[in-house]
């Protein structure tokens, strides 16, 4: 949409044309959702906040002065996130595992791929792994809200210092100070891994490992999983407040899973990480029903961490909730 077309559509929207407003916002909705997801760490809450932001934008459209419409939407969405964080009063004082961020949720890669690059920025098409991986999202939740917003706007979205300061009603020195503190926190929490995240999607090695995990899972061969995971493998299950470390714990979970029934798994991608969705057919049932989603962190060719979520986001991944046997 050219600037002339945008101006005409804005004028129509200001005159009360809801279709024109929908056309203005549709191309930005997914990137706004990802932005709010980074701010909040929750797919569901990001959806609610984006909806609220778009309602606020519609109601306040007469305040848009004809500048950058995308930046105007980001201002509204960011402020909606800051309000949501204030209301929730959430804090992450330490971060030994994802169990300490119980609201964290996965994000389907199929939806990340919907993001269109801003005009004149074709390099922004791919959502980089280092800006969406679960560990990065979790560390963001430790930062004070405005510091979090500054870091995302500057280092993830590439906004200039003056643009960021204006959006957040800060002075440029205050925005720069917040950015430096945020960067220091990331260096402290992600000193090694961040430099290794170069791929925009799981590598073929990671995909091959997940295929082997899925095959063992479908066979009910949980004993073989021990050959595919590290001895110090870690398992968390947000929002449960537990973190399990080591093969002994994984084997215990495997024994429990075997007793529950027959399993079927499907490889997917989430947060630019390999993952698999699991269906369970309990004894006496005729269908496999959506049960859980596991994101896998791979280190040196083996699974180093499983982060297990429930099945309620299966539709967002384009997955059926029931598979007939």
């Amino acid at each position: 949409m050219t600037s002339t077309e945008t101006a005409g559509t804005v004028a129509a929207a200001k005159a009360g044309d809801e279709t024109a407003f929908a056309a203005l916002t549709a191309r930005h909705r997914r990137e706004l959702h990802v932005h709010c997801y980074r701010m909040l760490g929750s797919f569901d809450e990001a959806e609610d906040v984006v909806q609220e932001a778009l309602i606020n934008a519609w109601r306040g459209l007469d305040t848009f002065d004809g500048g950058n419409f995308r930046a105007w939407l980001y201002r509204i969405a960011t402020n909606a996130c800051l309000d949501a964080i204030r209301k929730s009063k959430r804090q992450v004082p330490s971060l030994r595992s994802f169990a300490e961020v119980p609201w964290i949720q996965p994000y389907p890669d199929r939806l990340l791929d919907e993001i269109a690059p801003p005009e004149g920025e074709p390099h922004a098409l791919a959502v980089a792994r280092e800006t969406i991986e679960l560990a990065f999202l979790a560390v963001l939740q430790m930062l004070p809200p405005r510091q979090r917003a500054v870091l995302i706007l500057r280092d993830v979205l590439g906004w200039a210092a003056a643009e960021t300061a204006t959006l957040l009603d800060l002075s440029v020195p205050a925005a720069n100070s917040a950015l430096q503190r945020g960067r220091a926190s990331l260096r402290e929490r992600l000193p090694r891994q961040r430099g290794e995240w170069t791929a925009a999607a799981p590598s073929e090695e990671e995909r091959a490992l997940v295929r082997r995990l899925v095959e063992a899972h479908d066979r009910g061969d949980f004993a073989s999983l021990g050959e595919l995971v590290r001895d110090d493998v870690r398992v968390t299950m947000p929002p449960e407040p537990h973190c399990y470390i080591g093969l002994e714990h994984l084997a215990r979970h495997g024994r429990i899973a075997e007793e529950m029934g027959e399993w079927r798994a499907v490889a997917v991608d989430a947060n630019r990480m390999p993952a698999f969705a699991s269906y369970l057919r309990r004894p006496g049932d005729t269908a496999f029903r959506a049960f859980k989603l596991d994101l896998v962190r791979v280190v040196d060719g083996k699974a180093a961490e499983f982060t297990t979520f429930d099945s309620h986001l299966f539709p967002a991944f384009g997955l059926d909730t029931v598979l007939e046997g």
Side-chain angles (χ1 to χ4, degrees), residues 97 123 138 173 177 211 213 225-226 237 280 318:
S97 76
H123 63 280
S177 177
R211 285 195 294 268
L213 289 168
L225 292 179
M237 305 175 183
L280 172 64

Side-chain angles (χ1 to χ4, degrees), residues 241-261:
H242 308 299
C243 178
Y244 305 95
I245 298 176
L247 287 175
E248 180 181 346
H249 290 288
L250 187 65
R252 187 175 75 240
H253 288 301
R255 289 192 294 271
I256 294 172
E258 284 183 290
E259 295 171 358
M260 292 174 68

Side-chain angles (χ1 to χ4, degrees), residues 21-221:
F21 180 75
L24 279 171
T25 58
R27 68 192 302 264
H28 302 297
R29 184 179 183 114
R30 179 58 60 197
E31 65 171 310
L32 289 174
H33 189 261
V34 173
H35 174 60
C36 293
Y37 172 71
R38 288 188 178 107
M39 286 288 296
L40 302 170
S42 165
F43 184 97
D44 290 332
E45 291 176 14
E47 185 65 33
D48 292 341
V49 168
V50 168
Q51 185 63 30
E52 176 188 342
L54 293 179
I55 291 173
N56 291 340
W58 170 250
R59 291 173 177 169
L61 194 55
D62 59 341
T63 67
F64 177 60
D65 61 6
N68 186 319
F69 188 74
R70 176 174 176 258
W72 185 71
L73 288 177
Y74 264 93
R75 179 187 183 96
I76 295 171
T78 302
N79 284 326
C81 288
L82 294 174
D83 287 343
I85 294 168
R86 274 194 294 270
K87 290 175 183 176
S88 69
K89 299 180 180 179
R90 286 174 174 166
Q91 288 187 326
V92 183
S94 61
L95 190 59
R96 291 178 294 274
S97 76
F98 298 132
E100 296 178 72
V101 193
W103 59 88
I104 200 167
Q105 292 179 322
Y107 205 107
D109 277 17
R110 64 188 288 268
L111 300 184
L112 294 176
D113 292 338
E114 290 181 1
I115 296 178
E119 292 179 11
E121 296 182 38
H123 63 280
L125 178 59
V127 175
R129 181 169 182 169
E130 66 175 4
T131 70
I132 204 72
E133 205 263 4
L134 282 183
F136 179 73
L137 267 291
V139 171
L140 284 180
Q141 305 309 301
M142 297 187 69
L143 303 182
R146 286 193 180 276
Q147 190 180 116
R148 190 185 316 175
V150 169
L151 188 139
I152 293 170
L153 292 167
R154 291 293 313 280
D155 282 358
V156 176
L157 298 177
W159 287 40
E163 292 177 299
T164 300
T166 298
L167 185 145
L168 294 170
D169 292 323
L170 297 172
S171 67
V172 171
N176 286 337
S177 177
L179 177 63
Q180 295 308 314
R181 293 196 301 274
R183 286 174 174 171
S185 293
L186 259 64
R187 283 195 297 269
E188 178 185 349
R189 303 289 174 177
L190 302 169
R192 181 177 62 87
Q193 299 96 319
R194 187 170 171 80
E196 296 174 356
W197 295 334
T198 56
S203 68
E204 184 51 43
E205 178 189 43
E206 291 173 323
R207 293 187 190 281
L209 176 65
V210 168
R211 285 195 294 268
R212 294 173 65 193
L213 289 168
V214 166
E215 290 167 2
H217 193 278
D218 283 358
R219 292 195 308 269
D221 187 7

Side-chain angles (χ1 to χ4, degrees), residues 300-315:
D300 296 331
K302 289 193 173 186
E305 184 168 17
F306 295 92
T307 309
T308 304
F309 300 94
D310 67 23
S311 63
H312 90 276
L313 286 178
F314 270 41

Side-chain angles (χ1 to χ4, degrees), residues 284-296:
D285 201 349
T286 59
F288 289 87
R289 304 188 187 278
F291 191 83
K292 65 184 177 72
L293 180 75
D294 286 278
L295 272 66
V296 185

